[in-house]
Amino acid sequence: MAIQVVTTEQSTLFTIRTKHTTYQMKADEYGVLLHLWYGASVEGDMSYLLDYPDVGFSGNLYEAENRRTYSLNTLPLEYATEGVGDFRIPAVAATHADGSNALDLRYQSYNILKGKYAIAGLPAVYADEDEAETLEIVLKDTATDLQVTLRYGVLPELDMLTRCVSIQNLGTTPITLTKAASFCLDLPYGKWEWMHFHGRHAMERITERTPLIHGIQESSSTRGTSSHHQNPTAILCTPDCTETNGSCFGAAFLYSGSFQTKIEYDQMRQARMVMGLHPDLFRWELQPNATFDTPEVLFTYSDSGLETLSHRFQKTIREHVCRGKYQKIERPVLINNWEATYFDFNEEKILKIAEEAARLGVDMLVLDDGWFGKRDDDCSGLGDWFVNEQKLRGGLGTLVQKVKALGMRFGIWFEPEMISEDSDLYRTHPDWAIQIPGRNPMRSRYQLLLDLSNPDVQDYLYERISAILNSADISYVKWDMNRSISDWYTALLPANRQGELPHRYVLGVYALLERLTSAFPEVLFEGCSGGGGRFDAGMLYYCPQIWCSDDTDAYERTIIQYGTSFFYPVSAVGSHVSVVPNHQTGRVTPIETRAVTAMAGSFGYELDLNLLSDEEKESVTKQIQQFKEYGSLIHNGTYYRLSNPLQDAYALWAFVSEDKKEVLVQGMIFRTEANMVRHCVPLRGLDAEAVYRTKDGAAYTGDTLMHAGVLLPKSWGDYYPVSMHFVSE
């Protein structure tokens, strides 16, 4: 069994074992649940490490009497609370009926279950009974009837753990939750650096690594989404940690709304990481006999560097978070009309793009914004999900039939969560928009948001989107969301419960997505929020791929995709070839380089193919053929980061097949210099004894490629593409 429990008169010791790790905690003689160890596999009771001095101004537990070395302010705790002497970051906080805020959680019982727990209404890792176990530890407040159940999902072969928390009010009066984090990890040993993934619209998930300071560091979002600006993931690593060496812990929040990750380095040189719902946008009235379930955190430890950490997250998210028909299969090569036409199109323009795309080998045409309602710019029409037959004179069904006659499939864009004030829906239901009575709402992109916590709104959107999807043979939906959320207010809740809306909004989004993906299992749903503004594992539970960024510049995409790869699988990354000069940066890169970069994801095009030269069109045909040849390797192979584009003179990555017989090395050389020395880069993950050959007949042993490396091609011009394919005998 992966979960072992040893009970004595003094304590209960919990040990969770995976293939390469041990996680251990203990309910001690006072019922306090202490964290003992998370790291490489070890044997025995690790509580011998808890040797603490009498630390001034660190209060002592009442039952410990004059035992001044026993303090909740210094001990590593499994789920930290506030108001009872631990002055570090709490994981949970509540206000009781008498106005007090203290929570003193003590151990009550445990339960071990086969398989992996699920969370009603929320995304969560799933696994078969023979792949996972669940540990439940029940804690209870000493003075009230608040009960907390810590849930641990264990996937031993993947070296993955999950955590979530159920908080239940067993009393007779309401309790107000003001913080309910999903994950609390105390590390009483080691020296750590923090990696997080920051950014902005059109430049998301930029990797930043910094030493922990004595104090508190934070990455978070209060935007109603996980955001372009911080990703709901974090890594703690030792200063010597590299891709292949050193210790590191990683955590990913399976949630698509506002979040907070806080890390505190305390007076004892201990690190605490707390991850969960952002408390500034959370307040939940927990009625008697009611339960609140937090979202889930997925986490792991590696003692062999960041590469191992990433491989575990990529595999787990792809195989145990993503669902449905497109979980593992290769995706169609698509062309999106957005950067080709923006709002200025009609049926003839779209068909002209489709005809050329079909001739060059593209599998699917995606019709982006502007096909519905009164929608000639971004100031009107959102919410009116009815086909604009002035643009599409034969209706959507006729257009789809014509596209299918070309041998292509058809996809379509929605922005379901939004509403324009200039829309029939707003004129009929202004009460459905999120806005505070008596205040002018904040506009963004000149649009407001629908209150997705409202079941009537969910029903309307389900009805309208279903009607469109049933009206024609549609194979793909791009689900966009183009603003941050403010002006939080809903008429459905009383004044003292308005703090519930931000979380209820996300639950509404999930409920609608669950209904639609269940009703249309053959449709590929792609998430989008101005590109990468909601790129998180929670959204991947419903949409197996997400538009990685609105920045389609090939050079900047190497940086964005580099940061994305620390947690997310390549198959989840929507990535396209776009026009030059690039619409976001004005940069000019070769079409071959744009294709190589876009192939590190779900491949497609974002331009008008008719405007390309004959030579460029020939390149497009070759690129599509190449992607289809390598597609299985790209999506199913093991991904290796061979450079850091923020530091190196090139961006380079590789895909290695599971049997290690096939290797694809791709990337770009950023600049070419006169008399330039060629770059030599070692590969990883190969069979040392195998002989690998290129298409031109050159042969290398695996150990040669891994130790001496591959010579990158002689470059000519800036942003020079790299693509090398090796197959073993």
Side-chain angles (χ1 to χ4, degrees):
M1 290 179 64
I3 301 168
Q4 300 167 351
V5 182
V6 177
T7 301
T8 67
E9 290 185 7
Q10 289 287 306
S11 64
T12 301
L13 184 71
F14 299 92
T15 304
I16 300 172
R17 300 191 185 280
T18 69
K19 196 171 183 179
H20 299 102
T21 72
T22 298
Y23 189 103
Q24 194 176 86
M25 52 197 152
K26 179 174 76 172
D28 69 9
E29 62 268 39
Y30 307 117
V32 175
L33 189 61
L34 301 173
H35 177 79
L36 301 181
W37 176 261
Y38 184 39
S41 295
V42 295
E43 298 293 336
D45 184 345
M46 303 300 288
S47 56
Y48 77 90
L49 296 171
L50 305 184
D51 185 10
Y52 287 83
D54 175 4
V55 178
F57 295 91
S58 291
N60 311 114
L61 201 67
Y62 188 84
E63 296 93 322
E65 297 184 338
N66 200 32
R67 184 181 170 188
R68 298 189 182 187
T69 60
Y70 190 100
S71 175
L72 298 182
N73 191 44
T74 57
L75 287 165
L77 304 176
E78 190 62 25
Y79 195 63
T81 64
E82 75 169 6
V84 291
D86 182 2
F87 298 97
R88 297 167 292 178
I89 305 165
V92 62
T95 302
H96 304 287
D98 62 2
S100 65
N101 298 310
L103 265 183
D104 188 357
L105 298 177
R106 305 293 180 94
Y107 171 72
Q108 299 293 305
S109 62
Y110 77 91
N111 192 24
I112 298 175
L113 305 170
K114 288 184 177 181
K116 166 69 174 54
Y117 64 82
I119 314 173
L122 283 165
V125 169
Y126 60 88
D128 294 335
E129 282 197 359
D130 60 350
E131 295 177 305
E133 286 186 88
T134 293
L135 171 64
E136 297 180 334
I137 299 179
V138 179
L139 310 174
K140 189 174 180 296
D141 184 32
T142 56
T144 69
D145 291 312
L146 186 72
Q147 181 172 284
V148 172
T149 301
L150 308 181
R151 289 196 170 90
Y152 301 79
V154 186
L155 287 77
E157 290 301 308
L158 293 172
D159 283 307
M160 275 292 179
L161 304 178
T162 70
R163 284 182 66 173
C164 76
V165 180
S166 290
I167 304 171
Q168 188 174 7
N169 182 0
L170 301 177
T172 58
T173 57
I175 295 173
T176 302
L177 298 178
T178 56
K179 186 173 186 178
S182 304
F183 176 79
C184 178
L185 179 66
D186 277 1
L187 299 175
Y189 41 82
K191 188 175 182 181
W192 304 104
E193 295 182 346
W194 170 46
M195 290 180 65
H196 70 118
F197 304 88
H198 68 97
R200 58 189 182 276
H201 174 239
M203 199 64 198
E204 300 86 355
R205 293 174 300 286
I206 303 170
T207 307
E208 186 169 63
R209 178 169 170 172
T210 182
L212 292 187
I213 61 168
H214 280 280
I216 295 173
Q217 290 155 284
E218 175 180 335
S219 63
S220 61
S221 168
T222 56
R223 294 172 175 269
T225 64
S226 47
S227 84
H228 303 84
H229 307 82
Q230 295 286 348
N231 196 255
T233 53
I235 295 172
L236 288 178
C237 56
T238 53
D240 63 346
C241 186
T242 65
E243 285 287 341
T244 56
N245 293 288
S247 294
C248 49
F249 301 85
F253 195 29
L254 276 71
Y255 191 66
S256 308
S258 298
F259 76 94
Q260 182 186 71
T261 301
K262 270 192 172 182
I263 301 169
E264 182 170 3
Y265 195 51
D266 70 13
Q267 60 181 332
M268 308 302 293
R269 296 189 293 276
Q270 302 177 120
R272 170 177 290 176
M273 180 193 294
V274 175
M275 179 181 282
L277 300 168
H278 201 301
D280 289 358
L281 286 173
F282 176 78
R283 189 177 177 89
W284 197 273
E285 296 298 316
L286 195 60
Q287 301 299 317
N289 298 314
T291 300
F292 179 82
D293 292 315
T294 72
E296 181 171 84
V297 168
L298 173 65
F299 64 106
T300 190
Y301 164 81
S302 163
D303 62 359
S304 55
L306 296 164
E307 183 173 277
T308 298
L309 192 87
S310 294
H311 288 169
R312 291 176 186 167
F313 276 106
Q314 291 162 2
K315 184 176 179 63
T316 303
I317 289 174
R318 186 162 189 242
E319 298 183 3
H320 296 274
V321 175
C322 296
R323 302 178 296 164
K325 173 181 176 179
Y326 287 93
Q327 176 198 27
K328 293 183 180 180
I329 67 172
E330 295 164 47
R331 315 291 160 72
V333 176
L334 63 85
I335 185 163
N336 186 299
N337 73 293
W338 179 242
E339 288 193 13
T341 67
Y342 294 102
F343 293 104
D344 183 19
F345 65 83
N346 54 29
E347 182 179 346
E348 288 73 22
K349 275 190 178 182
I350 298 301
L351 283 174
K352 188 176 179 183
I353 292 172
E355 288 166 358
E356 188 63 15
R359 190 181 72 81
L360 298 179
V362 176
D363 299 315
M364 179 185 291
L365 173 84
V366 176
L367 182 62
D368 211 283
D369 195 354
W371 58 267
F372 56 92
K374 177 192 170 188
R375 186 70 169 172
D376 296 317
D377 54 35
D378 58 10
C379 295
S380 63
L382 287 169
D384 295 343
W385 300 109
F386 299 88
V387 178
N388 182 335
E389 296 196 8
Q390 291 182 332
K391 288 186 176 181
L392 307 178
R393 289 194 298 273
L396 190 61
T398 300
L399 175 61
V400 173
Q401 287 176 357
K402 291 179 179 179
V403 171
K404 285 193 66 182
L406 297 170
M408 299 175 69
R409 286 179 274 174
F410 188 87
I412 198 164
W413 178 96
F414 288 93
E415 195 172 3
E417 299 159 68
M418 301 298 154
I419 184 169
S420 299
E421 293 162 272
D422 183 6
S423 69
D424 291 339
L425 181 63
Y426 186 82
R427 285 182 279 272
T428 304
H429 279 292
D431 55 308
W432 282 4
I434 293 178
Q435 51 189 328
I436 301 170
R439 293 182 183 271
N440 290 327
M442 190 272 287
R443 295 188 182 107
S444 181
R445 206 168 179 254
Y446 210 78
Q447 58 197 42
L448 306 181
L449 290 111
L450 289 167
D451 181 359
L452 266 289
S453 74
N454 187 336
D456 292 340
V457 172
Q458 295 176 35
D459 289 344
Y460 168 80
L461 291 172
Y462 178 78
E463 175 190 330
R464 289 311 316 143
I465 295 171
S466 296
I468 295 296
L469 296 182
N470 282 320
S471 71
D473 188 2
I474 295 172
S475 302
Y476 165 104
V477 167
K478 181 177 179 180
W479 182 298
D480 213 341
M481 196 276 190
N482 281 315
R483 62 160 290 178
S484 300
I485 309 177
S486 60
D487 306 289
W488 290 105
Y489 181 84
T490 177
L492 302 182
L493 294 173
N496 65 329
R497 294 180 59 195
Q498 289 296 318
E500 298 178 19
L501 178 57
H503 183 55
R504 290 189 181 277
Y505 177 91
V506 177
L507 294 177
V509 173
Y510 288 158
L512 179 57
L513 276 165
E514 184 68 34
R515 289 174 70 182
L516 286 166
T517 54
S518 298
F520 299 94
E522 299 298 312
V523 174
L524 170 58
F525 282 77
E526 179 182 70
C528 181
S529 179
R534 200 161 56 181
F535 201 115
D536 55 71
M539 194 55 61
L540 288 171
Y541 187 75
Y542 306 95
C543 306
Q545 69 184 49
I546 299 173
W547 181 229
C548 185
S549 177
D550 277 351
D551 186 347
T552 57
D553 175 79
Y555 164 71
E556 294 201 330
R557 268 300 185 108
T558 67
I559 297 169
I560 296 166
Q561 292 171 193
Y562 172 79
T564 304
S565 73
F566 279 88
F567 286 89
Y568 303 107
V570 167
S571 60
V573 175
S575 192
H576 295 170
V577 177
S578 64
V579 72
V580 292
N582 180 265
H583 285 194
Q584 289 79 44
T585 66
R587 185 177 284 111
V588 175
T589 55
I591 194 168
E592 293 81 8
T593 305
R594 284 173 268 155
V596 162
T597 305
M599 283 186 195
S602 292
F603 186 60
Y605 291 84
E606 196 94 9
L607 44 75
D608 187 345
L609 294 169
N610 292 285
L611 302 180
L612 300 183
S613 67
D614 291 342
E615 184 180 358
E616 288 173 322
K617 289 178 182 179
E618 185 178 346
S619 292
V620 168
T621 299
K622 290 179 180 177
Q623 291 162 11
I624 294 170
Q625 292 170 349
Q626 187 180 55
F627 182 74
K628 291 182 177 181
E629 177 185 354
Y630 299 148
S632 178
L633 173 60
I634 290 171
H635 282 187
N636 299 315
T638 304
Y639 178 87
Y640 291 87
R641 292 179 293 266
L642 301 180
S643 75
N644 180 346
L646 292 165
Q647 298 175 357
D648 297 325
Y650 51 87
L652 202 69
W653 54 89
F655 306 96
V656 179
S657 62
E658 188 174 354
D659 61 10
K660 300 187 177 183
K661 291 184 177 181
E662 188 179 6
V663 186
L664 178 64
V665 180
Q666 291 187 314
M668 76 169 77
I669 300 167
F670 297 143
R671 293 186 60 202
T672 296
E673 299 172 352
N675 298 317
M676 186 170 173
V677 176
R678 292 173 70 181
H679 301 287
C680 190
V681 183
L683 304 186
R684 297 194 294 277
L686 310 188
D687 180 346
E689 297 180 359
V691 176
Y692 292 86
R693 295 188 182 274
T694 63
K695 288 183 178 180
D696 62 8
Y700 311 87
T701 62
D703 58 1
T704 297
L705 292 173
M706 289 190 292
H707 291 97
V710 294
L711 273 176
L712 302 192
K714 295 178 181 178
S715 59
W716 181 255
D718 292 343
Y719 313 112
Y720 189 82
V722 176
S723 187
M724 296 180 285
H725 186 225
F726 301 83
V727 179
S728 70
E729 297 175 336

